[in-house]
Amino acid sequence: MKKRVLALTPGDPAGIGPEITWKAIQSGSIDKNIALLCVGAREPFEKLKVPILEANPLSGSFQPPEMNQPHVWLWPAPLTSPHGSLLEGYQVGWSIEQATQLVLKQAVSALVTGPISKERLQKGGYIYPGHTEFLAALCQTREVTMMLANSILRVSLVTTHLGIQDVSLNLTREKIRKSILQTVQGLRDFWGIEKPRIAVTALNPHAGEKGLFGKEEITTIQPEIESLKKSAGASFTIDGPFPADTFFAKHILTPAEDRYDAVVCMYHDQGLIPVKLLDFHNTVNVTLGLPMIRTSVDHGVGFDIAGKGVADPSSLLAAIKLATHFVEKRHGKN
Amino acid sequence: MKKRVLALTPGDPAGIGPEITWKAIQSGSIDKNIALLCVGAREPFEKLKVPILEANPLSGSFQPPEMNQPHVWLWPAPLTSPHGSLLEGYQVGWSIEQATQLVLKQAVSALVTGPISKERLQKGGYIYPGHTEFLAALCQTREVTMMLANSILRVSLVTTHLGIQDVSLNLTREKIRKSILQTVQGLRDFWGIEKPRIAVTALNPHAGEKGLFGKEEITTIQPEIESLKKSAGASFTIDGPFPADTFFAKHILTPAEDRYDAVVCMYHDQGLIPVKLLDFHNTVNVTLGLPMIRTSVDHGVGFDIAGKGVADPSSLLAAIKLATHFVEKRHGKN
């Protein structure tokens, strides 16, 4: 049986990405029918004294190598950057660009990404506010939804990297609708849940207490939920807006089979506090709305612990496993 | 040994308060040296067919009754309300007022409160945005701090019942300082932690990512932390602002003895999502900054499940036990 290939960008060369990539490969827990094509800088893997087998998908020599010992199968990033930009930032941007093209051309089955520094990516010449926006641009997709998932909870975000002061202004019925519908579609496409059950959190404490502490529930969230309820018919269910402080506590006290399949949250920390608290090391970032499968670690570059050998590969392994699961589901269907 | 008396207001007569009060009394798990004086409406206890022994602290007959079987020792609220106000709302307000006076006069040792409906309290003639503000007014205290605590986590809130849109505007250095200092004092007075270790969360995702998504960390939170660090000397430690999405996940992965003693959070759901998620049924609301001990359930009135006999008394029991612990600590010291 031919192995399926996942493209993996280890992320910033100076962060923990290369180390956790190597630890994940060595763990022996990656599916035997999966080959990882790493796309990124060669130098950090040389530092780790890792067996490297070079790949060049552009020249046609593009078969997973036959080698029994653990190794890094690597498409190395260029060694010089244009216009005096930061080399390592450029290498990160180049890797994401190339790896995404491979997935879009169906040369590989999915993309798994390691942690990057936005600041260094931008110094490398790629002016994007984050990974997700960069990928949306590469895929020529205007709207995507960031989801974080582990085995206990899946949360989707209506707004992401915004200051708290700007959340309310940016909360529109259109954005709420888009996030809910992309969540429904993602649950169907990736997890095979045909009739998803969606919960929506409120923006304000106590869901605004009937307008006493904020009116967005009344003006925006509730009307959109009602409208979607009508158009959904029997194809999915949607409830809310629920006060967030008790929603997650009740979620985990509910038997797993009765829980909502996903929770659409209004802002970054509202969704990320509970999902990370419930299983920090095995939480995976999934981008919904892209024309491809993309999973990612849910943590940062860890510059403070890089090079010390102490970084935990669990989230990257979880991202690889979830992408593997999605790929198998998709090809099992076709 | 003379029993110490705690005043308990069961909360809204139409909610689950009276039921969980009776369940807590029957549980047999309240300290034997503690007597509960319930202050509130008689009617819901009559409905529950509970043995009631009447108390009237104003007439002098104010000794815990000698009775071996479980019973409710009750100071009953009036049966008529003034000016045509909602009787049950008036009874709730009257109970809180009277019970607070008993604590302030040192006729009883502490106040434990059950769940109330703000709306019905206001219809009863008591125009307060919530329990905490009502108590602050009764105690003639301008500034108090709401803390929620269980055995895993204690969180204090800088802002409480505010819409998300108003949080940033209301976040001042003075309020942050007040919350931190009242948290330090509360940890010393109530828990006996002489040199508390305090963590402070950021307001914005990723702590604002160096000002990219919000500048309050730079303009307000960080400067106040630095200023308090200087004035604290060796008397307490304070760190932050930490990005909230990873802070709580790391907190529970830290060995208990190395954790921060309390986390000062910028807004309601930021603190309440994690603390309730970690131990919903045993989380207690403690008001810091009052000239008395006050604990409370952390849940609502449960009008939807009231009268069905299914309400869970855990949070009320936890509130009674924590108040008991504080009272013993205080009297042990004196």
Side-chain angles (χ1 to χ4, degrees):
Chain A
M1 184 178 164
K2 208 182 143 205
K3 284 191 176 189
R4 300 209 180 278
V5 180
L6 308 186
L8 187 154
T9 52
D12 198 289
I16 59 175
E19 176 187 328
I20 58 176
T21 299
W22 179 232
K23 282 179 172 169
I25 291 170
Q26 282 184 303
S27 73
S29 63
I30 297 172
D31 190 300
K32 285 185 176 49
N33 296 317
I34 291 290
L36 283 187
L37 173 67
C38 298
V39 184
R42 173 191 277 271
E43 197 247 346
F45 290 111
E46 284 174 344
K47 260 198 193 160
L48 289 167
K49 301 199 170 115
V50 166
I52 298 173
L53 294 177
E54 201 164 307
N56 184 351
L58 300 183
S59 75
S61 64
F62 188 49
Q63 286 299 320
E66 301 287 336
M67 188 179 187
N68 284 328
Q69 86 184 101
H71 60 277
V72 169
W73 182 34
L74 182 73
W75 184 12
L79 292 170
T80 53
S81 64
H83 318 300
S85 57
L86 178 75
L87 175 61
E88 293 189 327
Y90 171 70
Q91 289 177 323
V92 169
W94 179 91
S95 305
I96 295 169
E97 221 165 23
Q98 298 302 323
T100 302
Q101 293 306 334
L102 288 181
V103 194
L104 292 176
K105 287 189 293 190
Q106 298 181 21
V108 302
S109 300
L111 174 64
V112 179
T113 58
I116 65 171
S117 152
K118 260 161 255 182
E119 206 185 341
R120 281 161 55 90
L121 177 73
Q122 296 193 356
K123 285 185 183 159
Y126 295 86
I127 310 299
Y128 294 101
H131 233 141
T132 307
E133 295 83 353
F134 188 4
L135 293 169
L138 290 172
C139 295
Q140 301 181 299
T141 308
R142 239 189 94 244
E143 298 281 9
V144 295
T145 295
M146 178 173 164
M147 172 182 268
L148 272 92
N150 56 41
S151 61
I152 311 170
L153 179 65
R154 298 182 191 100
V155 296
S156 292
L157 305 182
V158 176
T159 66
T160 53
H161 295 115
L162 270 183
I164 282 288
Q165 195 174 9
D166 297 325
V167 169
S168 173
L169 267 174
N170 278 273
L171 203 68
T172 61
R173 283 186 61 166
E174 291 65 32
K175 279 191 189 158
I176 295 169
R177 166 180 290 262
K178 181 267 299 176
S179 304
I180 293 171
L181 293 177
Q182 289 191 330
T183 301
V184 167
Q185 199 58 44
L187 291 167
R188 283 191 187 129
D189 289 352
F190 295 159
W191 279 277
I193 300 168
E194 285 309 319
K195 198 183 155 181
R197 287 167 303 173
I198 308 289
V200 179
T201 54
L203 172 67
N204 297 303
H206 306 189
E209 192 113 14
K210 299 183 184 174
L212 218 58
F213 334 126
K215 303 202 188 301
E216 294 87 345
E217 284 76 16
I218 298 167
T219 60
T220 312
I221 308 174
Q222 185 71 50
E224 191 52 44
I225 290 175
E226 293 309 321
S227 153
L228 278 170
K229 264 186 184 169
K230 278 181 203 151
S231 61
S235 66
F236 64 91
T237 61
I238 174 169
D239 294 310
F242 295 108
D245 64 333
T246 54
F247 179 83
F248 297 104
K250 289 177 181 170
H251 175 85
I252 57 155
L253 293 173
T254 302
E257 64 274 18
D258 296 332
R259 290 179 191 157
Y260 288 97
D261 296 309
V263 188
V264 176
C265 297
M266 295 301 123
Y267 57 92
H268 186 276
D269 283 1
Q270 187 183 55
L272 266 55
I273 288 173
V275 76
K276 291 190 176 187
L277 190 51
L278 287 171
D279 195 353
F280 195 32
H281 288 309
N282 296 298
T283 300
V284 179
N285 182 333
V286 182
T287 311
L288 307 176
L290 292 176
M292 65 177 197
I293 295 168
R294 182 254 175 161
T295 64
S296 177
V297 296
D298 76 331
H299 56 69
V301 286
F303 286 141
D304 51 329
I305 57 163
K308 296 184 182 167
V310 298
D312 186 325
S314 308
S315 179
L316 183 63
L317 263 172
I320 293 168
K321 286 178 188 174
L322 194 59
T324 302
H325 177 73
F326 292 164
V327 167
E328 283 166 357
K329 198 141 210 115
R330 173 168 292 186
H331 289 282
K333 273 183 178 177
N334 293 349
Chain B
M1 185 179 163
K2 207 183 142 204
K3 285 190 175 189
R4 299 209 179 278
V5 179
L6 308 185
L8 187 155
T9 53
D12 198 288
I16 59 175
E19 176 186 329
I20 58 176
T21 300
W22 179 231
K23 282 179 172 168
I25 291 170
Q26 281 184 302
S27 72
S29 62
I30 297 172
D31 190 301
K32 283 185 180 50
N33 296 316
I34 290 291
L36 283 186
L37 172 68
C38 298
V39 184
R42 174 191 276 269
E43 198 247 348
F45 291 110
E46 283 173 346
K47 261 198 191 159
L48 288 167
K49 303 200 171 113
V50 166
I52 299 173
L53 294 178
E54 200 163 310
N56 185 352
L58 300 184
S59 76
S61 63
F62 187 51
Q63 286 298 319
E66 301 286 336
M67 188 178 184
N68 283 328
Q69 89 182 100
H71 61 275
V72 170
W73 181 35
L74 181 74
W75 184 13
L79 292 170
T80 52
S81 64
H83 318 301
S85 57
L86 178 75
L87 175 62
E88 293 189 327
Y90 171 70
Q91 290 178 320
V92 168
W94 179 91
S95 305
I96 295 169
E97 222 165 23
Q98 298 302 323
T100 303
Q101 294 306 335
L102 288 182
V103 194
L104 292 177
K105 287 189 292 191
Q106 299 183 21
V108 303
S109 300
L111 174 65
V112 179
T113 59
I116 65 170
S117 153
K118 260 162 257 182
E119 207 185 342
R120 283 161 54 90
L121 177 73
Q122 296 193 356
K123 284 185 184 160
Y126 294 87
I127 310 300
Y128 294 102
H131 233 141
T132 307
E133 295 85 353
F134 189 4
L135 293 170
L138 290 173
C139 295
Q140 299 180 298
T141 307
R142 240 189 93 244
E143 299 282 7
V144 294
T145 295
M146 178 173 162
M147 171 183 270
L148 273 92
N150 57 40
S151 61
I152 312 170
L153 178 66
R154 297 182 192 100
V155 296
S156 292
L157 305 181
V158 177
T159 66
T160 54
H161 296 116
L162 270 183
I164 282 289
Q165 194 172 10
D166 298 324
V167 169
S168 172
L169 268 174
N170 279 274
L171 203 68
T172 61
R173 283 186 59 166
E174 290 67 31
K175 279 191 189 159
I176 295 169
R177 166 181 289 260
K178 181 267 300 176
S179 305
I180 293 170
L181 292 178
Q182 289 191 331
T183 300
V184 167
Q185 199 58 44
L187 290 167
R188 283 190 189 132
D189 289 351
F190 294 158
W191 278 277
I193 301 168
E194 285 309 318
K195 197 183 156 183
R197 288 167 304 173
I198 307 289
V200 179
T201 53
L203 172 68
N204 297 302
H206 305 191
E209 191 115 15
K210 298 182 185 174
L212 218 58
F213 337 125
K215 303 201 189 303
E216 293 86 347
E217 285 76 17
I218 299 167
T219 58
T220 312
I221 308 173
Q222 185 73 50
E224 190 52 44
I225 291 175
E226 293 309 322
S227 152
L228 277 170
K229 264 186 184 168
K230 276 181 206 152
S231 60
S235 66
F236 63 90
T237 61
I238 173 167
D239 295 310
F242 296 108
D245 65 332
T246 54
F247 178 82
F248 298 103
K250 289 177 181 170
H251 176 85
I252 57 156
L253 294 172
T254 301
E257 64 274 19
D258 296 332
R259 290 178 192 159
Y260 288 97
D261 295 310
V263 188
V264 175
C265 296
M266 296 300 124
Y267 57 93
H268 185 276
D269 283 1
Q270 187 183 55
L272 267 54
I273 288 174
V275 77
K276 290 191 176 186
L277 190 51
L278 287 171
D279 195 354
F280 195 32
H281 288 309
N282 296 299
T283 300
V284 179
N285 183 332
V286 182
T287 311
L288 307 176
L290 292 177
M292 64 177 196
I293 294 169
R294 182 252 175 162
T295 65
S296 177
V297 296
D298 76 331
H299 57 68
V301 284
F303 286 140
D304 52 328
I305 57 164
K308 297 184 181 165
V310 298
D312 186 326
S314 307
S315 178
L316 183 62
L317 263 172
I320 294 168
K321 285 177 188 174
L322 194 59
T324 302
H325 178 71
F326 292 164
V327 167
E328 282 166 358
K329 199 144 211 109
R330 173 167 292 186
H331 290 280
K333 271 185 181 176
N334 295 350

